[in-house]
């Protein structure tokens, strides 16, 4: 029998400690109490109202778009209810010249970054014009994780160009399980490329809850292995999301290499407009506290108490936003349907001989 | 016996497989509590427990790598890849690993994995949720590729696929999932992996198709029957390997053939069928082999899908051209 010996390594203790260093950054808590006065002082009153308006804009976009979707007037759309602070807070920290790589739930950020709502609707319908926006960005990525590796490439390209710009990308909690997410962070880290990776942890990947994705207690700690700094932030606090993203952007832009941000938020509704039923995999008891943690509530209360916001202001702004979305749908409706000949022409720079013949065939077919 | 949809027929087959063989395992994204995004694994976790039917983290190469490893330790994995377009994430696990494992071991070990995945278009999905990647996968030696055109075959084929010790890619047609019902026997039955089926007998022309295009071809055959034209329709069912004997026998009878596929024309299944016929049965033909296929663009965005995908009208044109050659 071996003598009782001291453990060489106390793996159990190490395991218990993993991820303990991360404490979510917060500025305004759910009761609209300022928990970080120093950071709060960095915002002007005007900025605060602007953030409130962005939250309301995204909420209105969600409601109106879901409406259109229910009427069968759009294709695929990923609802964003509950994620407004996480999305608007982070995207607001970036500059026009920064390069955005969004996922399918990030249409609102793409629009804030310079695409039009009509383009967003065309994308949803599966029309190529929806991908031809002026914003410095790629179209919302359908393949989960693909944008994360591409972000490393874009960031390296920007660095080689000597541009004052960063690459920033979004994926979800589920997306962090893809090898691509690690590879993207690792490559960007290895090249000290200016990238900001934003993980929107909304608790679910369709039906799979966040704890089933990984044994890691935080997603932020996944950056540690790639040697890049990371942070968790209260994803229901738009001010904290903005402040953290701004610092990340500045850090990356200054040549210090990439940063990863995990926003803690919640997908209030179904996974997509095709409708899945969350009651199959989660309880009302779980949902309720999150609903009470709605990102609009705290900002609304804070600004209303300060006399800078009112229900009337909000109602009028919602109306204005929704009208603009209705106009956007009209713009999308005015676009001629896409043709197979266009798709064939877009496949290679110069149509190959086989495709040239097929273009001729479809020209005849589509002119009928 | 009960009327069942394509999805329900597959669920039925999976249920039998889980029940009969304690080594079978179902796993993938959302297959557990949620029963899969199309409900194909509905109720199976409840019935067989989380040890047998479980959700995975979101990573396709993880899912199929896991399947290879489980296969090496005596398990019989039936992983699901949520949409066929996501198999790109796991090409090495499929083509570089599971398809070569038996070969590498000199026949001593197998990869008894059946990958289930929905494919095909016509349902207006987001990009990469509709695709026809069979052209790609039928080029992988060591991998079987099968697909059913109806609920009856779907149940029998999934059972054969899982019980077979080779890796099988089991492609499930999205458009057929809920659009057709068959009488499905409650008990176990199998549909052989290597055989095509003559689904309609005829004497004037042979139409070779698979999956949803079989139904388009049958529509054409019925229409032509009213003009006393007799078309034979063959459902390939197995895309790799291809049952050429059934095709040759038909061609020797009809002397005319139209090969139909939903996938792009370049490379792939229809090209193999046509080349096999020209290599071994060309002397039986009275007209050139005709082909109906999608054009060689990237799979279309939802808007132009219905013009792009070959339908009964496209098939009819080619059949008439061939008949009047
Ligand atoms: C490579 C790949 N695998 C699977 C899917 C199907 N799918 C779409 S969304 C989703 C869940 C994603 O969860 P998460 O990353 O947390 O993002 P969220 O939807 O919550 O924003 C899955 C599995 C996909 N689009 N791409
Ligand atoms: Mg998520």
């Amino acid at each position: 029998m071996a003598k009782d010996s001291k453990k060489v390594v106390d793996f159990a203790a190490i395991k218990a400690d993993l991820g303990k260093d991360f404490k979510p950054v917060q500025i305004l808590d759910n009761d609209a109490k300022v928990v970080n006065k120093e950071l709060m002082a960095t915002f002007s009153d005007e900025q605060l109202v602007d953030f409130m308006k962005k939250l309301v804009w995204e909420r209105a976009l969600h409601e109106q778009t879901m409406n259109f979707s229910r009427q069968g007037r759009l294709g695929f759309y990923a609802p964003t209810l509950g994620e407004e602070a996480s999305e608007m807070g982070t995207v607001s920290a970036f500059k026009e010249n920064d390069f955005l790589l969004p996922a399918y739930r990030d249409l609102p950020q793409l629009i804030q970054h310079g695409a039009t709502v009509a383009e967003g609707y065309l994308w949803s319908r599966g029309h190529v014009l929806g991908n031809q926006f002026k914003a410095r960005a790629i179209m919302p990525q359908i393949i989960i994780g693909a944008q994360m590796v591409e972000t490393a490439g874009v960031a390296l390209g920007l660095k080689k160009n000597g541009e004052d710009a960063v690459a920033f990308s979004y994926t979800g909690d589920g997306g962090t399980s893809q090898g691509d997410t690690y590879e993207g962070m690792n490559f960007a880290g290895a090249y000290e490329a200016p990238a900001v990776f934003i993980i929107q942890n909304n608790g679910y990947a369709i039906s799979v809850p966040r704890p089933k994705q990984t044994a890691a207690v935080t997603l932020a700690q996944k950056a540690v292995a790639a040697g890049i700094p990371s942070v968790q932030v209260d994803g229901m606090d738009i001010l904290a999301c903005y402040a953290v993203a701004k610092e990340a952007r500045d850090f990356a832009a200054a040549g210090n290499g990439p940063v990863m941000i995990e926003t803690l938020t919640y997908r209030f509704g179904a996974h997509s407009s095709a409708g899945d039923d969350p009651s199959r995999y989660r309880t009302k008891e779980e949902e309720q506290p999150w609903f009470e943690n709605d990102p609009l509530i705290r900002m609304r209360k804070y600004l209303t108490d300060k006399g800078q916001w009112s229900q009337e202001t909000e109602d009028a702004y919602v109306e204005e936003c929704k009208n603009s979305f209705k106009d956007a749908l009209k713009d999308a409706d005015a676009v001629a349907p896409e043709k197979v000949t266009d798709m064939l022409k877009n496949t290679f720079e110069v149509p190959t001989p086989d495709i040239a013949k097929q273009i001729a065939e479809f020209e005849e077919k589509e002119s009928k | 016996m009960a009327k069942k949809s394509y999805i329900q027929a597959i669920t039925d087959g999976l249920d039998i497989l889980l029940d009969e063989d304690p080594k079978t395992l179902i796993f993938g994204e959302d297959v557990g509590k949620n029963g899969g995004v199309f409900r194909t694994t509905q109720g199976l976790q409840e019935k067989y427990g989380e040890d047998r039917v479980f959700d995975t983290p979101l990573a396709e190469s993880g899912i199929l790598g896991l399947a290879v490893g489980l296969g090496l330790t005596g398990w019989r994995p039936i992983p699901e890849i949520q949409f066929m377009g996501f198999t790109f994430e796991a090409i090495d696990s499929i083509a570089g690993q599971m398809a070569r494992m038996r070969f590498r071991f000199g026949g001593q070990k197998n990869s008894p994995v059946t990958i289930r995945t929905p494919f095909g278009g016509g349902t207006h999905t987001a990009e990469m949720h509709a695709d026809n990647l069979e052209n790609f996968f039928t080029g992988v030696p060591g991998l079987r590729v099968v697909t059913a055109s109806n609920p009856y075959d779907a149940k029998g084929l999934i059972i054969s696929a899982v019980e077979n010790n080779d890796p099988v890619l089991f492609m499930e047609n999205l458009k057929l999932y809920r659009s057709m019902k068959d009488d499905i026997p409650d008990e176990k039955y199998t549909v052989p992996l290597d055989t095509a089926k003559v689904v309609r007998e005829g004497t004037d022309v042979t139409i070779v198709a698979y999956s949803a295009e079989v139904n388009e071809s049958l529509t054409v055959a019925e229409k032509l029957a009213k003009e006393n034209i007799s078309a034979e329709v063959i459902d390939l069912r197995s895309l790799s390997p291809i049952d050429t004997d059934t095709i040759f026998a038909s061609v020797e009878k009809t002397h005319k053939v139209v090969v139909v596929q939903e996938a792009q024309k370049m490379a792939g299944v229809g090209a193999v069928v046509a080349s096999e016929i020209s290599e071994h049965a060309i002397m039986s033909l009275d007209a050139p082999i005709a082909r109906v296929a999608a054009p060689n663009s990237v799979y279309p965005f939802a808007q132009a899908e219905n013009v792009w995908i070959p339908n009964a009208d496209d098939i009819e044109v080619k059949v008439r051209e061939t008949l009047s050659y």
Side-chain angles (χ1 to χ4, degrees):
Chain A
M1 280 286 279
K3 276 195 260 174
D4 249 11
S5 63
K6 204 172 145 32
K7 284 201 178 87
V8 181
V9 189
D10 191 349
F11 287 119
I14 294 174
K15 184 175 176 185
D17 263 4
L18 291 172
K20 281 277 163 63
D21 313 339
F22 293 96
K23 297 271 174 302
V25 175
Q26 195 182 50
I27 296 177
L28 193 63
D29 77 6
N30 193 28
D31 299 321
K33 206 174 90 222
V34 178
V35 294
N36 189 327
K37 294 214 164 67
E38 215 176 307
L39 281 177
M40 191 55 149
T42 63
F43 294 103
S44 68
D45 284 353
E46 222 181 354
Q47 248 183 322
L48 294 175
V49 170
D50 189 51
F51 279 128
M52 182 68 212
K53 287 177 88 172
K54 282 183 170 152
L55 291 171
V56 172
W57 173 85
E58 183 170 332
R59 178 71 46 99
L61 178 68
H62 163 83
E63 282 171 0
Q64 191 58 52
T65 306
M66 285 302 282
N67 242 335
F68 291 149
S69 189
R70 275 186 287 267
Q71 295 162 10
R73 299 171 77 185
L74 291 174
F76 172 82
Y77 169 71
T80 57
L81 195 65
E83 302 186 38
E84 295 87 351
S86 170
E87 300 198 333
M88 289 300 101
T90 51
V91 75
S92 302
F94 293 88
K95 301 191 176 163
E96 202 181 338
N97 210 28
D98 292 336
F99 199 121
L100 167 64
L101 295 97
Y104 51 85
R105 207 177 296 285
D106 308 317
L107 264 185
Q109 297 100 298
L110 181 58
I111 294 164
Q112 285 291 322
H113 200 58
T116 66
V117 176
E119 284 160 343
Y121 288 161
L122 285 167
W123 174 81
S124 163
R125 284 179 175 176
H127 194 298
V128 73
L129 280 185
N131 295 344
Q132 297 181 347
F133 38 75
K134 291 220 171 62
R136 199 174 197 196
I138 62 162
M139 57 292 292
Q141 179 59 260
I142 293 291
I143 291 302
I144 292 170
Q147 74 277 26
M148 304 304 270
V149 257
E150 290 161 1
T151 297
V154 170
L156 183 59
L158 297 174
K159 181 177 172 173
K160 285 182 180 295
N161 288 344
E163 291 187 57
D164 175 23
V166 306
F168 67 117
S169 62
Y170 290 86
T171 192
D173 42 306
T176 62
S177 295
Q178 289 282 24
D180 282 358
T181 297
Y182 174 74
E183 290 171 31
M185 292 192 295
N186 192 53
F187 272 56
Y191 297 121
E192 278 202 324
V196 179
F197 298 97
I198 300 159
I199 312 296
Q200 300 200 81
N201 173 359
N202 64 4
Y204 284 86
I206 308 186
S207 72
V208 180
R210 163 36 208 114
K212 286 207 173 164
Q213 284 297 335
T214 172
V217 295
T218 70
L219 301 176
Q221 78 203 67
K222 291 196 168 202
V224 174
I228 75 177
S230 58
V231 62
Q232 273 190 326
V233 57
D234 179 351
M236 297 308 200
D237 178 359
I238 190 169
L239 304 178
C241 288
Y242 172 79
V244 158
K246 176 149 190 330
E247 200 133 308
R249 197 234 165 242
D250 291 347
F251 181 84
N256 298 304
V259 179
M260 188 256 248
I261 299 168
E262 176 187 2
T263 70
L264 301 172
T265 178
Y266 196 73
R267 199 192 75 210
F268 279 14
H271 167 70
S272 86
S273 58
D276 74 331
D277 174 9
S279 74
R280 293 173 70 91
Y281 49 81
R282 69 190 195 195
T283 61
K284 289 257 178 303
E285 291 69 48
E286 178 195 309
E287 288 173 344
Q288 198 48 42
W290 279 106
F291 292 163
E292 287 162 17
N293 201 1
D294 184 320
L296 274 68
I297 295 177
R298 65 182 81 176
M299 277 300 279
R300 187 185 286 131
K301 180 164 176 359
Y302 181 74
L303 289 174
T304 307
D305 289 351
K306 281 182 47 154
Q308 289 171 332
W309 192 258
S310 68
Q311 196 56 51
E312 297 78 69
T313 319
E314 185 164 330
D315 291 346
Y317 189 57
V318 168
E319 184 70 13
E320 181 187 330
C321 292
K322 288 195 173 171
N323 284 335
S324 73
F325 305 146
K326 287 174 194 160
D327 289 344
L329 191 72
K330 280 187 206 138
D331 292 346
D333 286 344
V335 169
E338 199 171 1
K339 291 184 166 174
V340 172
T341 41
D342 299 331
M343 297 188 163
L344 284 163
K345 285 173 191 163
N346 292 340
T347 299
F348 287 105
E349 186 175 14
V350 178
T352 48
D354 55 326
I355 288 188
K357 282 182 200 141
Q358 291 171 349
I359 290 172
E361 278 168 35
F362 274 89
E363 255 161 13
E364 205 194 309
K365 204 167 157 182
E366 288 182 323
S367 64
K368 276 180 202 158
Chain B
M1 188 81 89
K3 283 257 182 250
K4 285 189 175 154
S5 70
Y6 195 97
I7 291 183
Q8 290 165 331
I10 295 169
T11 313
D12 225 28
L14 294 173
D15 193 352
I16 289 169
L17 290 159
L18 285 167
D19 183 55
E20 280 195 352
D21 182 356
K23 289 295 192 184
T24 49
L25 300 172
I26 289 179
F27 50 90
E29 294 155 9
D30 305 286
V31 302
K33 245 189 209 167
N34 206 35
V37 293
F38 294 103
R39 308 283 173 261
T40 318
T41 54
Q42 171 127 302
L44 297 178
Q45 185 179 73
E46 227 171 298
K47 189 163 171 190
Y48 296 97
E50 240 187 289
D51 283 346
R52 303 279 309 284
V53 180
F54 51 94
D55 288 331
T56 61
L58 202 171
E60 287 73 17
S61 71
I63 293 169
L64 295 188
L66 196 76
V68 172
L70 285 163
L72 289 174
T73 46
W75 296 88
R76 192 167 289 277
I78 316 172
E80 175 181 300
I81 297 297
Q82 205 162 72
F83 288 89
M84 193 175 199
F86 311 157
T87 56
F88 284 135
E89 294 282 312
I91 292 301
D92 181 60
S93 301
I94 301 171
Q97 306 303 324
M98 69 177 74
R100 305 172 79 108
M101 205 50 89
R102 179 186 163 83
F103 176 83
R104 275 184 197 152
F105 273 113
Q108 288 182 338
K109 278 195 192 296
N110 294 308
S111 258
V113 180
T114 299
I115 306 165
R116 291 183 36 247
T117 194
F119 81 108
T123 56
H124 294 292
T125 59
E127 199 203 344
M128 309 275 317
H129 288 64
D131 242 317
N132 287 86
L133 304 182
E134 59 271 25
N135 284 352
F136 192 83
F137 284 107
T138 49
V140 177
L143 179 71
R144 291 171 177 277
V145 182
V146 301
T147 187
S149 68
N150 58 73
Y152 181 90
D153 281 356
K155 176 171 171 179
L157 266 182
I158 188 71
I159 292 174
S160 299
V162 173
E163 290 188 333
N164 182 279
N165 281 333
D166 303 320
V168 183
L169 182 64
F170 184 85
M171 299 166 38
E172 303 175 359
N173 192 287
L174 270 172
K175 201 163 42 181
L176 302 183
Y177 259 168
R178 294 198 172 89
S179 64
M180 63 190 299
K181 289 198 169 186
D182 277 351
D183 285 322
I184 303 292
D186 295 328
E187 61 274 14
K188 180 177 175 179
Y189 64 92
T190 58
V191 165
L193 285 185
D194 296 343
T195 56
K197 186 179 180 198
V198 177
V199 288
R200 182 188 175 103
E201 291 198 29
T203 49
D204 298 333
V205 58
T206 300
I207 308 176
V208 181
Y210 57 93
S211 203
E213 296 292 351
V214 171
N215 302 308
E216 298 294 312
S217 303
L218 285 170
T219 305
V220 175
E222 269 153 43
K223 185 169 173 192
L224 295 176
K226 290 183 192 127
E227 301 169 30
N228 282 325
I229 299 170
S230 162
E232 177 145 306
V233 180
I234 294 178
D235 178 357
L236 285 177
R237 299 197 296 205
S238 176
L239 309 186
S240 182
I242 286 172
D243 172 12
T244 48
D245 288 351
T246 300
I247 298 168
F248 297 160
S250 177
V251 168
E252 278 157 22
K253 178 171 67 173
T254 64
H255 311 293
K256 292 190 167 154
V257 62
V258 179
V259 184
V260 184
Q261 66 183 32
E262 187 176 311
Q264 289 91 336
K265 194 170 188 184
M266 58 199 293
V269 178
V272 172
V273 171
S275 83
E276 288 289 334
I277 296 170
S278 49
E279 191 176 345
H280 300 286
I282 199 151
M283 302 311 277
S284 311
L285 290 181
D286 289 344
I289 302 164
R291 289 193 60 196
V292 179
N296 294 348
S297 76
V298 174
Y299 203 94
F301 299 123
Q303 275 218 339
E305 194 174 44
N306 284 343
V307 187
W308 188 90
I309 296 173
N311 59 21
D313 294 341
D314 301 310
I315 299 169
E316 189 184 334
V317 168
K318 281 286 174 201
V319 170
R320 287 189 190 280
E321 259 175 45
T322 305
L323 284 166
S324 61
Y325 181 80

